[in-house]
Amino acid sequence: MKEPTDIGMNRTGIGTSPIDSKELIEAAEGTVPSSEGDESGIASLRMSYASESGIVGTMPPPSSVKGAVKSVLEGLAAKNPAVFLDKLAERLQFERTGTRMYESVLAKLDALGSYDGGPTRETLQEFHDEELEHFHVLRSALESMGADPTALTPSADIAAVEASGLIQVLNDPRTTLPQTLHALLVAELTDSEGWDMLIELATSLGHEAMADDFRDAMRAEEKHLAHVRQWVANHAMQDAEGRLGQAA
Amino acid sequence: MSLDLTKEKGVAIDAQEDFTWRDMVREPISKLNDDAFTRLRIILMNGIEMEANRFQHAFARMNDPMRAELAKVRRIETHQQVLVNWLLPADQSPLETTIAYEQVAIEVTASLALLEPDPYIAQVLRFGLLEDFDHLYRYSALMDRLEGKDANAILQSYTDVLPGRPTVVEHRYPTDDLREHYDRTTAAPITKLVSLTIMSGEQQTQNYYQNIGPLFADPVARLLYAEIAHIEEQHVTQYEAIIDPNETWMEKWLLHECTEVWNYLACMEQESNARLKAIWERMVAYELGHLNHVMDLFRRVENRDPFEIIPTSLPERIKYMSHRDYVRQVLKNEVHLRSVGTQFVPVNQVPPDSPSIAYNRQINSDGSPSQTVAAGYVYTPGSELVKKAA
Ligand SMILES: [Fe+2]
Ligand SMILES: [Fe+2]
Ligand SMILES: [Fe+2]
Ligand SMILES: [Fe+2]
Ligand SMILES: [Fe+2]
Ligand SMILES: [Fe+2]
């Protein structure tokens, strides 16, 4: 099978067409722009819209379980306890999407096979199950605080926008296993950072039991990150050394 | 609010050339905080403006003397469409917007079916309703299974997520999507407004799916959009068919402008977001300006009273509300219906030589994306993963 690193007919560089590109460059060099200035005009438009616009949204009101939430929130001894709920919801959204991401990678592995030093099906399945478990951990955490775990909070919303490119890479039938693992690496880097912050928040808010659960999750995430990082590196090294081709 | 169309002049069309880019490109709504019906109104009105624009283009291509008048009004329709459609926020993904399109196709169609006095046309609407209802279920499954997202963040619990008439059986032979049309001389004015509104909404839905389908990398998503876009083409065929093709071009133009006024008025009356309410109010005034302009043209060109075609006051408006009980009742009573030519019959009365049977068999012969995507799917708040043990 063709590898992306095989030499082929990629036409995107300017060097592909020496004659046409010469014309293109010469014509461009003679450009007289229709307006003076530089990129700063774009920046000032962005600044103008940013200063006039509201925000993407806010946290939901503590709905049906008002009393419970209120008391829990007061117990948190934080000036703005909604920050913790927002971050929990962000992680929840990410773990739920992460579960689906591992399903996509598993399908990719089943279709294309792995490589020396690449993932096994069992390991991917294990990581998948851990993402699912983390989703449940976060759901319980939110529920225990009287919050609605289905609410799409502002941070959860933004995290989903961030992840959208990863989902595209993972599900494109033309991407290779190493290419999808690179997307997964981006996800796992974010994941580790996210859990790190949750542990810090939970601890500082006096949620010791929760912080313990989160430390368990964090250990799993550190394992995910280390493995995915290694799989990506192993492939690049073998490819560079011409040792690819033998499926694991 | 009852508008007397014989008196209301709105804003003269020359005064409607007051748009600037920044006026058109405003702060969008909040996906998280605005009411789902605010989103639905934006989506429907984008479809209404799209149809205004496309209709006026077709008119101009076939009527030399009207080209200048059409060019002027059409430019304003275009600016209106930008102002309205750009109110959708960018954190609302194409798939989330799709969920909202189907919610329009359920809640707005239900309201239209309830408003419609002609029993046959109401039946046509209910027939389409049950198909879009199924699309919502399929797309919700896709969203959960591809992205790990809950469609209800968009739907806000106004609309059920359940199978309707299964998408897999909706694929029919083209002539089984044709319908009888109303009679332009006897139909109630509201029938004409209802028909044009639903046709516009479905047409934009088809446009949207045809355009965004290839934006997805996932083959399941690409297949599902291909499949459902196909049904939306059928829906446009169906709803286009109920409109009397014997109306003159000028009659149709009058009806288009009247439909725009009627729809913007419904938006204005029911809008919960004050910023948007002001936009709807401005658009009502602009459309009244279009309507008056076209009434004058109609008097000149056809030498007739425009109120032979349009009502002097606007009929009852679309209701932007949940129609849960009504939709469930329609689902229970009519999910088994199929179309044979222009008529609806129970599935067990479809003749064995119906061209739709062979058609359906062929198009689904190497698999049904809508069945695959929702295999075993039951909507669960917060994703079906909630029910899966780690
Ligand atoms: Fe994770
Ligand atoms: Fe992870
Ligand atoms: Fe318009
Ligand atoms: Fe639909
Ligand atoms: Fe439809
Ligand atoms: Fe108009």
Side-chain angles (χ1 to χ4, degrees), chain B residues 245-266:
Chain B
N246 302 305
E247 287 164 347
T248 67
W249 282 100
M250 283 304 299
E251 275 182 44
K252 284 187 184 295
W253 196 3
L254 266 181
L255 286 168
H256 273 77
E257 298 302 349
C258 191
T259 299
E260 291 192 84
V261 177
W262 181 63
N263 271 292
Y264 275 126
L265 190 60

Side-chain angles (χ1 to χ4, degrees), chain B residues 87-138:
Chain B
L87 291 169
L88 293 181
D91 58 333
Q92 188 175 293
S93 71
L95 185 47
E96 288 173 323
T97 303
T98 296
I99 297 288
Y101 266 67
E102 294 297 348
Q103 191 175 28
V104 172
I106 295 163
E107 301 302 345
V108 169
T109 308
S111 178
L112 293 173
L114 287 165
L115 289 171
E116 177 53 51
D118 179 322
Y120 174 77
I121 289 183
Q123 168 73 86
V124 171
L125 287 157
R126 294 193 305 270
F127 187 77
L129 166 63
L130 292 187
E131 303 196 328
D132 289 314
F133 186 72
D134 192 74
H135 300 168
L136 177 63
Y137 166 71
R138 310 286 154 180

Side-chain angles (χ1 to χ4, degrees), chain A residues 45 48-49 52-54 56-58 93 96-97 100 129 132-133 135-136 139 150 152 157 160-161 168 171 173, chain B residues 22 25 27 30-33 91 144-149 215 217-219 382-386 388-390:
Chain A
L45 260 182
S48 160
Y49 269 89
E52 288 169 21
S53 292
V56 297
T58 58
Q93 171 62 48
R96 197 166 51 182
T97 301
R100 297 308 193 188
D129 296 351
L132 180 58
E133 192 186 319
F135 165 61
H136 290 308
R139 244 172 16 90
T150 69
L152 188 61
D157 182 48
V161 176
Q168 289 280 77
N171 291 289
Chain B
R22 293 206 55 168
V25 180
E27 181 188 350
S30 166
K31 176 178 109 182
L32 312 181
N33 287 28
D91 58 333
D144 186 347
R145 293 177 163 183
L146 172 64
E147 302 178 345
K149 282 188 187 168
L215 297 184
D218 180 30
S383 165
E384 64 176 348
L385 293 174
V386 167
K388 294 200 173 137

